[in-house]
Amino acid sequence: MRLIRAELLKLRTTSTWWIFALVFLALWALTLAVNWFATSVGLDAGSSIEVDPATGDFVLHESDIAANLYTNGQFFGLLVVMLLAAIVVTSEYFQQTATTAFLQTPRRELVVGAKLVAAVLVGLAFWLVSTLLNLVLGALILAAYDSGPFFGSGAVWEAILLNALAYALWAVFGVGAGVLIRSQIGATVTLSVVYVLGYLGSNTFFLLIGDSFGEWFPKLQVLIPPLASQLLVSGASLPGSPPRWLGAVILVLYAVLAGAVGTVITRKRDIT
Amino acid sequence: MTDVPGEIVVSHLTKQYGQLRAVDDLSFTVRPGRVTGFLGPNGAGKTTTLRMMLGLVRPTSGTATFSGTPYVELTEPIRHVGAVLEASSAHKGRTGRNHLRVMATAAGLPDSAADLALDRVGLTPAANRKFKGYSLGMKQRLGIAAAMLGDPGVLILDEPANGLDPEGIRWMRDLLKALAAQGRTVLVSSHLLAEMQLLADDVVIIAAGQLIRQGPVGEVLASLSGTLQVRVRTPQPAELLAALEKEQAEVAELPDGALTVTGLEVAHVGHVAFAAGVELHELTGERADLEQVFLQLTAGRAGIR
């Protein structure tokens, strides 16, 4: 408990967190504008629009549009939270404070554990702030198009809660990656590239490769962390139609793997 | 073996880095209530030894205990052992006070402990300034404040005088002596020998990762009493030389005209001069100082291996 409070204090007492928060808010506003536009298109067309089950990128139920608004900012939010979580670890080496931390707590796995919990709490804080903003502004946008806020819809709340889970899991993933890649620059660049390429590049990659290695190959898409995350949150249609919970399982596995391997290495390593 | 409270026991500590044996079967004890100087040329393995003692570096073999317990098994180690390892170990963007508050929080101490520690090292005026704005001397003081936070009975400092101005060095010396006088164990590594001679009660001298000599400063110096020299100045050097040579003394002439006599006590040299009717203008016994002893003991053991 004390260690978790100390970790949160560490975060609060430097400027890193609010720089990240400002960046996040700016990106959140940007995506809100985009989603506003998407909403206007979707709702103007009305519910008469046909859903294309083959591509399935937009399922234009009105409640889905609402859910999309209420989880607005997720793409960048997850990225920012993951990077912040990684920096929670790498800054100890970058700023040479690891010695102090491990002198105070020689059982290093406890330090890593405290960082995991602190990062998850920070991730949830980002989620909470963005969700509150989304609920207010999303409802206003919907009202502007004469649509209800869908606060009674189960799908909406499910999306919001799964969004929270995604924030927490990406925070864990970030800490694990930070432990593995001690270099601050190395960790942030690697994570950003994996994240963005994972989202934007892997779709293209699998589209190009197709099933030339056999039918099973495209199904591996779900193993790409950002795609697993997409599956978890939005139920994105992937080849083989894996269930949504599989996305969560895969993310948890990545997070646990990165965290566990990192912790074992941290325990053995000489701190110089 | 009984465990003496506050005693540090280093026993057969060894660290192998590839081909290099940085620390080689090193054993020594550090007693409470005294300042112990940990001396060695650069690269002798001082820092590696300290980091092994504190559980930061994993020894190849051997142990180090504080009051009988290894560091990593201490509960709330900062309440038992305070360590200052490098001056630059705080986040640059965090204030000195917040740096200590983080440590206090993790140790379950109130924020007031941080303020007290700042006050003890005279950093209160800079408490809310960021670490990157600190001078080297202020960083050292913050390091000591951090080490003192848990009011530990044992203090370990790695080259604390580095980067301090003369006033800072004097302050550090007085502080460490006062802490030892309160019954604490103080282990200070350094390569500044003149400073150590003023500060330390005991010394542990290592070179090339091995123990060279351990004991009270006086004893270590006395163990090389053969090097006692007497410095004489006289207007009749030829007569004195002749008289001293009859006593089997070795005499060397210095460029400034003085003579140094080796192999005789001061009183003996004075008596020889008196008996020979030689006028003396200066007669001084020169004990080897820590620096001479150190250089003699570590000669031929290269610092760079």
Side-chain angles (χ1 to χ4, degrees):
Chain A
M1 253 337 275
R2 284 180 192 159
L3 286 179
I4 295 164
R5 277 176 46 214
E7 287 300 331
L8 290 173
L9 187 61
K10 276 185 197 174
L11 261 169
R12 279 213 317 275
T13 51
T14 62
S15 45
T16 313
W17 75 268
W18 60 258
I19 292 173
F20 273 72
L22 284 182
V23 168
F24 171 57
L25 280 181
L27 293 170
W28 169 86
L30 188 75
T31 52
L32 183 71
V34 172
N35 278 323
W36 190 344
F37 180 71
T39 306
S40 71
V41 172
L43 286 179
D44 279 350
S47 46
S48 63
I49 252 204
E50 289 293 317
V51 179
D52 184 351
T55 63
D57 0 78
F58 252 90
V59 188
L60 289 178
H61 291 304
E62 289 196 354
S63 68
D64 281 330
I65 293 173
N68 184 46
L69 277 174
Y70 294 145
T71 58
N72 170 57
Q74 185 199 43
F75 176 79
F76 291 116
L78 295 181
L79 177 63
V80 165
V81 162
M82 172 178 64
L83 292 181
L84 189 56
I87 284 174
V88 163
V89 183
T90 56
S91 78
E92 295 272 10
Y93 296 100
F94 189 66
Q95 304 280 354
Q96 300 182 335
T97 49
T99 295
T100 310
F102 293 138
L103 270 181
Q104 186 155 26
T105 315
R107 291 182 56 196
R108 299 177 195 168
E109 64 276 16
L110 294 182
V111 178
V112 177
K115 285 183 185 303
L116 280 174
V117 177
V120 166
L121 290 177
V122 170
L124 290 179
F126 273 73
W127 165 80
L128 187 66
V129 170
S130 68
T131 299
L132 288 177
L133 289 170
N134 287 335
L135 284 177
V136 174
L137 293 171
L140 286 177
I141 290 172
L142 287 174
Y145 293 97
D146 298 324
S147 172
F150 292 97
F151 285 156
S153 156
V156 164
W157 291 107
E158 190 186 316
I160 289 174
L161 290 178
L162 286 173
N163 193 25
L165 182 62
Y167 272 91
L169 288 177
W170 281 95
V172 173
F173 188 68
V175 169
V179 174
L180 278 178
I181 311 171
R182 268 188 303 173
S183 151
Q184 183 126 306
I185 295 164
T188 46
V189 169
T190 308
L191 285 177
S192 308
V193 167
V194 165
Y195 186 80
V196 175
L197 279 190
Y199 257 119
L200 306 178
S202 57
N203 270 329
T204 322
F205 172 77
F206 278 99
L207 208 65
L208 286 175
I209 299 288
D211 49 9
S212 46
F213 293 111
E215 235 176 82
W216 53 273
F217 191 74
K219 291 183 186 167
L220 295 182
Q221 281 190 54
V222 74
L223 293 177
I224 309 281
L227 297 184
S229 167
Q230 237 173 5
L231 171 66
L232 160 69
V233 180
S234 61
S237 61
L238 290 170
S241 313
R244 281 169 90 154
W245 58 261
L246 188 62
V249 168
I250 285 168
L251 278 188
V252 169
L253 282 181
Y254 273 119
V256 167
L257 193 71
V261 171
T263 305
V264 169
I265 292 175
T266 307
R267 273 171 58 91
K268 301 258 178 196
R269 192 153 42 193
D270 288 346
I271 310 293
T272 52
Chain B
M1 201 167 77
T2 53
D3 300 327
V4 180
E7 191 174 72
I8 308 174
V9 179
V10 171
S11 156
H12 305 290
L13 216 48
T14 300
K15 180 69 183 183
Q16 186 90 34
Y17 286 117
Q19 290 292 305
L20 178 70
R21 196 164 269 250
V23 177
D24 190 359
D25 197 30
L26 185 61
S27 299
F28 60 87
T29 55
V30 183
R31 288 186 290 155
R34 301 171 73 85
V35 177
T36 301
F38 188 36
L39 310 179
N42 288 336
K46 297 190 294 290
T47 300
T48 304
T49 303
L50 295 181
R51 285 187 168 265
M52 282 195 285
M53 290 165 69
L54 295 167
L56 293 169
V57 169
R58 188 172 286 251
T60 307
S61 62
T63 57
T65 58
F66 298 85
S67 314
T69 311
Y71 187 85
V72 295
E73 288 170 24
L74 292 170
T75 47
E76 296 296 343
I78 71 162
R79 291 182 190 229
H80 297 97
V81 182
V84 186
L85 289 185
E86 59 225 13
S88 58
S89 61
H91 194 293
K92 287 179 207 59
R94 195 175 283 140
T95 66
R97 181 165 182 273
N98 280 337
H99 175 65
L100 296 179
R101 278 178 64 214
V102 168
M103 292 184 68
T105 304
L109 296 165
D111 280 0
S112 59
D115 295 323
L116 194 71
L118 282 170
D119 191 47
R120 183 146 36 180
V121 298
L123 264 186
T124 307
N128 292 319
R129 219 184 297 166
K130 286 188 177 174
F131 185 73
K132 61 184 163 199
Y134 279 18
S135 70
L136 203 48
M138 289 160 79
K139 289 177 182 173
Q140 289 285 22
R141 284 174 192 245
L142 184 64
I144 291 173
M148 295 298 298
L149 194 65
D151 196 25
V154 178
L155 275 165
I156 293 179
L157 303 96
D158 194 9
E159 305 276 2
N162 268 5
L164 286 186
D165 57 12
E167 195 206 330
I169 289 180
R170 193 202 184 102
W171 167 81
M172 170 93 57
R173 187 196 307 147
D174 292 345
L175 176 74
L176 295 183
K177 281 184 174 227
L179 291 171
Q182 292 166 10
R184 296 180 215 260
T185 313
V186 181
L187 178 63
V188 190
S189 87
S190 183
H191 58 260
L192 301 174
L193 296 156
E195 174 55 27
M196 273 301 143
Q197 194 159 10
L198 291 172
L199 172 64
D201 303 304
D202 296 334
V203 286
V204 172
I205 301 178
I206 69 168
Q210 293 175 322
L211 182 70
I212 302 295
R213 198 66 63 99
Q214 158 174 29
V217 175
E219 267 177 37
V220 170
L221 294 179
S223 69
L224 288 125
S225 57
T227 62
L228 180 75
Q229 292 187 327
V230 183
R231 180 183 160 90
V232 229
R233 194 183 279 277
T234 168
Q236 304 150 267
E239 284 91 331
L240 185 62
L241 250 166
L244 284 170
E245 269 164 10
K246 276 186 213 149
E247 301 291 325
Q248 313 292 325
E250 229 176 87
V251 186
E253 210 162 334
L254 295 178
D256 63 354
L259 303 174
T260 53
V261 185
T262 315
L264 292 183
E265 290 294 315
V266 182
H268 199 155
V269 175
H271 180 77
V272 169
F274 178 73
V278 172
E279 183 182 342
L280 291 189
H281 291 170
E282 187 188 337
L283 178 65
T284 339
E286 285 180 343
R287 262 206 185 276
D289 64 9
L290 194 53
E291 182 169 281
Q292 286 169 335
V293 170
F294 177 81
L295 290 175
Q296 198 174 332
L297 285 173
T298 59
R301 292 168 179 270
I304 298 162
R305 291 181 280 159

